Amino acid sequence: MRAPMRWAHEARDCVLPMIIGLGTDLCDIARVTETLKRFPGRFEARLFTDQEQARAERRKNARAARYAQMFAAKEACSKALGTGFRKGVFWRDMEVVHLPSGKPTMELYGGALRRMQDLTPSGMQAQVEVSLTDESGLANAVVMIFAVSASA
C-alpha cells in the first residue's frame, strides 16, 4: 500500500509546488494600436513601467503587439491575485521582465506584492510563471502563481 499523499498546504511537509493563483487574458492588438494613436504617451505612462516602455519602443514594427502582450500579462496577473485592479493593486505594480534566457516573468511591487504575500502560506515563497504569445491579431498571456517551499 502506498503512503498517503501529503498536500501542499502542509508547508512543513511540502515538496511539490502549490498553485495559489491562475489568470489568463486575451487582448486585441488592433485595439491597442488605436489606443496608442489616440492617447500618445498617456496610455504607456499610465499602465507600463519605464523599463516596459523602453522594451516595447525598441521594436517599432511590433510595438503595439508588445504593449498588448504586457497588457494581457498584467490583466492575467491581477486575476491570478484574485483582485483584478482593486484592493490596492495597480497597473504599474506589475512589471513584465525577461530573464537573460528571454523567458518572461513578472516582478510585483506595492499592492500587488502585498496581495501575493497574503496568498502565500507561511514557510513558503511565491513564484510567478508567465507565458506570452501573439497570433492573428491577438495577444495572449497566462500567469500562474505558485507557492514553493522556502527551504528549497
Side-chain angles (χ1 to χ4, degrees), residues 4-56:
M5 184 174 173
R6 293 279 188 191
W7 295 99
H9 68 275
E10 297 177 30
R12 69 183 185 288
D13 298 320
C14 181
V15 176
L16 300 175
M18 174 175 70
I19 298 171
I20 56 176
L22 173 65
T24 186
D25 194 65
L26 196 59
C27 182
D28 184 347
I29 297 170
R31 194 167 169 200
V32 171
T33 301
E34 288 304 311
T35 302
L36 289 166
K37 287 178 187 173
R38 274 189 27 223
F39 306 105
R42 276 183 37 204
F43 173 72
E44 302 95 302
R46 182 169 177 233
L47 275 62
F48 303 101
T49 66
D50 293 342
Q51 293 82 0
E52 288 172 320
Q53 291 176 57
R55 274 195 312 279

